[in-house]
Amino acid sequence: MNSFLNALEQRVLVLDGAMGTMLQERGLAPGASPEAMNLESPEVVAAVHQAYAEAGADIIVTNTFGGNRVKLSHYQLENRVEEINARGIELARRAAPHSFIAGSIGPTGRFLEPVGDAGFDEMVEVFGEQVRAFAVAGADLITLETFLDIRELRAAVVACKEFSDLPVVAQMTFDAGGRSVLGTPPEAAAVTLDALGVDVVGSNCGLGPEGIHALLEKMRAVTALPLISQANAGLPQLVGDQTVFPAGPEDMTVLHDRLIALGVRIIGGCCGTTPEHIRAIHAALEGRDQTWIPPARGLYLSSRGTVVPVGGEAACAIIGERINPTGKKGYAAELREGKTAYIRREAQEQTEAGAVLLDVNCGAPGVDEPLSLERAVFAVNGVSSAPLVLDSSDPEALERGLKAADGKVLINSVNGERKSLAAVLPLARKYGAAVIGLALDEEGIPADAEGRVSVARAILDAALQAGLPARDVVIDALVLTVSAEQKGAVVTLEALRRIRRELGLATVLGVSNISYGLPDRPVLSSVFFAMALQAGLDAAIVNPKEERMMDAFRGAMVLLGRDLRAEEYIAHYGSFKAPPRAPQTEGRSLDIRAQLAAAIIEGDSEGAPVLVRQAFDEGLTAMQISNEGLLPGLEEVGRRFGEKQIFLPQVMLSADTMHAAFDVIKERMQGEAGPSSGKILMATVEGDIHDIGKNIVCTLLENHGFEVIDLGKNVPADRIVEAALHHKVDAVGLSALMTTTLARMEETLERLRQEGVKVFTMVGGAVVTEDYAARIGADLYGGDAMDAVRKIKQILVK
């Protein structure tokens, strides 16, 4: 066994503390590259490592957090990735020869498509450069830290697995509300990362010890992996011009017993922690019983924002079947045209009707299935939080869809044929998916239950050999229509019972196949559904909009004790039930203004331009289309975002839709200047190279009718003042993410005042507080992107 993993089983390991602040105290200039110090001031970096090792750290993390080519390009160091990362390992090893050396990888600062413009393969290659350097230089493990985007973290894990065999520790950062910036809760992160084969999962940064502990409790509910706790030294406070972390060394140890009981096997420190904090953490572990036995865990699937259990005591998982072109000429035509309206509509309607998983199939004649499945995954993820079931027999399409997915999906399907097993199982292992195994092989579908159980056993054996756990195999005992083989239903039910009893595997059925070719199909299908549920069915591929099927499902869950206290049944039937949502077809009767608003809310970038043209044809002016149709939709997006009903990916999709709509307005106006809400200058202050938050604000301001002059990142005060005067702007917005650049924000505001720039000023960023904004004389504080836009509108838009 790997020596690090062996030590992890034996005891709780101590990881070191903050690096950035330690380097700043030793001469790192604000805005300079910490990683460059591996080359320019190696003795300074080595001294920090040595201090942590002497304090008792079992794991020393390298000074390579921003050592990817994207981050290093800000300092013209992108051609020295290998050198910087290899040197990071060398310095840590020399300074701490008796500690495990962890190669640190942080995010690139870019979002993956469709939220951003980065491709999955591109990110795998970017992270792979660091991984290869670590492996050659002799790292003991890799730690992935402070990730905000679960898709970017997925790419980083894939890179770790593809380019090395080193153990992987994977961590995301969450806010006080318990979600990442892009809306991922800790449970979804844990399920996704567990499936990818990481060795330790947890959270770092963002919160203090209590906050991190609460996140890890949620992770423990869905994973049996060892956990890591890497908390800040409390939540930062601004005292004078200094950012202070209030938790002292002893404050970092008060949760040790609870952390150990939870299965935390690595405890370290993040922002604000010092060698003294690490020394206290190490000392407090002495004499404590550190034994821990991993709990049993079943199958969970995940999306960016949701976790769904399958099997065990959970209710049968309803898989919506309608995103399938079979028998649907309109959908097949949309696939050939590259459109997604049907997909988005069905995703919404099926989840509203009760589906908790969504089957996505794009296989039709004349369709580029790999491209279509990727596009479909993006479309479904934009309107629904349900985890996905990728339905394809094309390995290329499956891989494209797996890369596009936000979480742990279910592949539909593999079967007992050697060719199928060889093509699908490696994909499931690489991208962290579960699989549906069809109980058929080269000989076809066995006629009896014994034969189907035998095929299921062979699929399970192949999956285990490929590295998939048994819990990630779901067997389809196969439903044949009773119009052709009346005894087939009995065989299916017997096989289902035996697969659960003898193999311990979860089961799934395409229930409605039973009634094919017979009249009034829901009668027969719903009865068979109830029988299958009594036999222990764990997941069902059905049309959730067919009420008779859902009635059978809800009633059976109560009678079988899988709907505790009949809560779901009562929620559905206990009060007045609204009529089903009207299909959102092109012929819907909504007023054109309401249709425009709905397109923005739903992120319908295909439909919005069509609706804008229709609005012009109906006689609406550009101002009416914008103010009475598009902007009310964007306001509703802001409201839902503020209430945590949607998250940043949905906001950005709505913003892209707004852009598409405005492009048509500009086209119709033939270059005429449209109405402007005001002119805003935006910049990230000098010394700070982070601009994701600022870029989002710029996009939303433009969508609300503002003219935006974006100066980018690391902008000196002189340039900001000069641009504000030159462009005669109405407001200046400043952003900062780093505590070390807060002072630049105050200096810039003072320069604006000295030069007589008569504008409203707005500040924001991860480290900026409302109190700080008021103290430095800013007119507005933007807590988040939508808050910033709302407040600037209140002042500038009359």
Side-chain angles (χ1 to χ4, degrees):
M1 176 183 283
N2 176 278
S3 58
F4 164 73
L5 296 178
N6 182 61
L8 203 64
E9 285 189 359
Q10 303 303 315
R11 59 191 174 89
V12 176
L13 302 179
V14 177
L15 184 134
D16 63 15
M19 171 62 75
T21 50
M22 297 285 285
L23 293 179
Q24 288 159 12
E25 291 175 359
R26 290 160 172 76
L28 176 64
S33 169
E35 293 74 26
M37 294 187 75
N38 290 350
L39 308 178
E40 298 165 359
S41 304
E43 69 287 350
V44 174
V45 176
V48 174
H49 290 323
Q50 183 175 353
Y52 280 124
E54 291 174 351
D58 301 296
I59 304 170
I60 297 296
V61 179
T62 58
N63 179 39
T64 56
F65 176 79
N68 60 75
R69 82 164 91 112
V70 178
K71 283 288 184 69
L72 291 177
S73 67
H74 300 307
Y75 310 100
Q76 292 73 53
L77 294 171
E78 63 270 25
N79 294 323
R80 305 183 75 178
V81 171
E82 181 179 359
E83 181 184 6
I84 286 171
N85 285 277
R87 193 66 186 280
I89 299 293
E90 177 190 335
L91 291 174
R93 180 74 70 194
R94 192 169 65 218
H98 304 297
S99 300
F100 295 110
I101 305 305
S104 171
I105 294 179
T108 62
R110 295 174 64 191
F111 287 136
L112 274 73
E113 54 190 356
V115 178
D117 61 355
F120 189 90
D121 289 338
E122 177 189 2
M123 287 295 99
V124 171
E125 180 54 34
V126 166
F127 293 124
E129 292 175 343
Q130 286 186 274
V131 173
R132 286 190 290 261
F134 293 153
V136 171
D140 296 304
L141 66 144
I142 296 173
T143 177
L144 308 173
E145 309 175 88
T146 325
F147 278 78
L148 306 174
D149 180 358
I150 189 63
R151 283 199 69 222
E152 186 182 25
L153 185 49
R154 287 185 75 231
V157 175
V158 169
C160 290
K161 297 295 182 180
E162 186 169 334
F163 299 113
S164 82
D165 58 0
L166 295 171
V168 178
V169 176
Q171 301 181 82
M172 284 196 78
T173 296
F174 305 90
D175 60 24
R179 290 190 181 250
S180 73
V181 168
L182 295 187
T184 300
E187 304 96 311
V191 168
T192 302
L193 296 168
D194 190 332
L196 286 165
V198 305
D199 299 282
V200 183
V201 68
S203 180
N204 77 298
C205 202
L207 300 172
E210 287 281 357
I212 295 290
H213 178 265
L215 297 171
L216 298 182
E217 282 188 313
K218 293 179 179 179
M219 288 186 170
R220 174 53 68 221
V222 295
T223 181
L225 286 177
L227 300 175
I228 176 172
S229 172
Q230 196 176 350
N232 288 346
L235 297 178
Q237 301 171 0
L238 200 64
V239 179
D241 293 329
Q242 300 296 317
T243 300
V244 176
F245 289 85
E250 299 306 318
D251 297 323
M252 302 292 289
T253 70
V254 295
L255 297 180
H256 270 24
D257 288 333
R258 288 160 61 186
L259 292 174
I260 293 170
L262 196 60
V264 173
R265 305 303 286 173
I266 302 175
I267 303 176
C270 205
C271 297
T273 56
T274 66
E276 289 307 309
H277 291 83
I278 300 308
R279 183 172 286 106
I281 290 172
H282 173 81
L285 287 171
E286 296 293 330
R288 278 185 160 93
D289 181 1
Q290 299 179 22
T291 58
W292 173 71
I293 299 175
R297 286 290 177 263
L299 169 60
Y300 294 91
L301 301 174
S302 63
S303 64
R304 183 183 294 275
T306 302
V307 167
V308 172
V310 177
E313 299 302 314
C316 177
I318 298 298
I319 303 173
E321 69 181 7
R322 288 188 51 79
I323 305 178
N324 189 315
T326 303
K328 302 180 182 70
K329 293 182 179 180
Y331 175 34
E334 283 196 6
L335 288 173
R336 285 189 286 271
E337 296 168 6
K339 297 180 179 179
T340 60
Y342 176 87
I343 293 170
R344 288 183 290 99
R345 182 170 67 249
E346 282 297 337
Q348 290 175 300
E349 292 181 1
Q350 289 186 102
T351 50
E352 288 173 3
V356 295
L357 304 172
L358 292 172
D359 188 87
V360 181
N361 185 310
C362 298
V367 171
D368 182 340
E369 190 177 355
L371 176 60
S372 294
L373 191 56
E374 176 188 68
R375 186 184 292 127
V377 170
F378 288 155
V380 173
N381 286 344
V383 297
S384 171
S385 64
L388 302 182
V389 180
L390 298 186
D391 189 350
S392 176
S393 58
D394 180 349
E396 182 184 353
L398 281 176
E399 184 161 24
R400 194 86 170 257
L402 287 164
K403 291 176 182 177
D406 290 334
K408 179 180 179 179
V409 308
L410 182 60
I411 294 176
N412 185 12
S413 56
V414 67
N415 61 56
E417 297 180 14
R418 285 185 291 274
K419 180 180 178 182
S420 174
L421 294 168
V424 175
L425 293 180
L427 291 176
R429 184 70 189 94
K430 180 176 181 178
Y431 296 104
V435 296
I436 291 177
L438 304 182
L440 62 86
D441 57 16
E442 288 89 350
E443 304 299 320
I445 301 174
D448 58 14
E450 177 61 36
R452 297 185 196 184
V453 173
S454 178
V455 174
R457 184 176 288 108
I459 293 172
L460 172 60
D461 290 343
L464 293 173
Q465 188 171 355
L468 289 178
R471 64 177 177 273
D472 284 349
V473 178
V474 183
I475 297 297
D476 186 342
L478 298 175
V479 176
L480 305 180
T481 175
V482 293
S483 63
E485 177 55 65
Q486 195 162 355
K487 294 182 179 179
V490 174
V491 171
T492 296
L493 294 174
E494 181 186 353
L496 186 153
R497 292 188 185 95
R498 289 186 56 184
I499 288 165
R500 291 187 96 247
R501 182 176 66 249
E502 296 174 21
L503 303 182
L505 299 179
T507 56
V508 62
L509 293 175
V511 176
S512 57
N513 291 342
I514 197 74
S515 61
Y516 185 77
L518 294 172
D520 204 356
R521 293 183 60 189
V523 173
L524 192 60
S525 295
S526 62
V527 172
F528 177 71
F529 190 13
M531 295 172 69
L533 290 169
Q534 196 280 330
L537 183 64
D538 296 302
I541 303 173
V542 301
N543 176 7
K545 295 191 286 186
E546 172 50 63
E547 271 301 309
R548 188 169 287 175
M549 294 291 285
M550 297 303 288
D551 288 343
F553 161 70
R554 297 186 186 101
M557 289 299 94
V558 174
L559 298 176
L560 294 171
R562 294 168 80 176
D563 178 4
L564 295 179
R565 296 176 293 278
E567 289 177 352
E568 296 298 325
Y569 184 91
I570 292 170
H572 187 80
Y573 299 105
S575 58
F576 173 75
K577 184 168 57 176
R581 167 183 172 145
Q584 298 179 29
T585 62
E586 293 180 3
R588 58 187 174 184
S589 59
L590 288 176
D591 173 83
I592 189 63
R593 296 169 179 81
Q595 291 185 54
L596 287 164
I600 299 300
I601 294 168
E602 295 165 8
D604 183 3
S605 59
E606 297 169 5
V610 175
L611 291 170
V612 171
R613 293 186 181 96
Q614 180 183 333
F616 274 120
D617 292 343
E618 293 183 10
L620 272 68
T621 66
M623 184 73 77
Q624 287 174 313
I625 293 171
S626 175
N627 292 350
E628 299 174 17
L630 301 174
L631 286 177
L634 205 58
E635 294 291 347
E636 175 63 13
V637 169
R639 184 192 68 79
R640 295 184 185 186
F641 179 75
E643 295 180 2
K644 304 293 186 183
Q645 296 177 17
I646 61 172
F647 298 91
L648 192 54
Q650 290 76 33
V651 172
M652 296 308 293
L653 286 175
S654 292
D656 289 342
T657 302
M658 196 78 168
H659 270 304
F662 271 126
D663 284 344
V664 177
I665 293 176
K666 293 174 184 176
E667 173 189 305
R668 286 295 185 102
M669 295 177 70
Q670 297 181 340
E672 296 178 22
S676 174
S677 299
K679 192 180 293 186
I680 314 291
L681 180 74
M682 295 290 295
T684 300
V685 297
E686 185 177 14
D688 203 320
I689 62 168
H690 302 87
D691 63 353
I692 287 178
K694 183 263 299 172
N695 292 345
I696 293 168
V697 174
C698 290
T699 298
L700 295 178
L701 284 169
E702 288 176 344
N703 288 334
H704 278 271
F706 291 95
E707 181 182 349
V708 177
I709 296 96
D710 182 6
L711 298 184
K713 53 184 176 286
N714 192 21
V715 184
D718 287 345
R719 186 178 168 210
I720 293 172
V721 172
E722 178 184 346
L725 290 169
H726 174 74
H727 292 284
K728 297 182 174 60
V729 298
D730 300 295
V732 172
L734 303 176
S735 174
L737 185 71
M738 302 164 60
T739 58
T740 54
T741 55
L742 281 176
R744 297 289 188 272
M745 187 173 278
E746 183 174 9
E747 291 169 10
T748 302
L749 290 181
E750 182 59 31
R751 287 294 312 282
L752 287 167
R753 286 189 285 265
Q754 288 174 357
E755 297 297 327
V757 180
K758 301 296 185 182
V759 298
F760 289 101
T761 52
M762 173 178 64
V763 296
V767 297
V768 182
T769 65
E770 191 162 11
D771 288 342
Y772 179 75
R775 186 163 67 78
I776 65 175
D779 298 295
L780 299 176
Y781 162 72
D784 55 50
M786 295 301 297
D787 183 51
V789 173
R790 179 178 58 82
K791 288 178 177 176
I792 203 72
K793 282 186 67 180
Q794 288 174 349
I795 290 181
L796 295 184
V797 181
K798 304 301 182 185

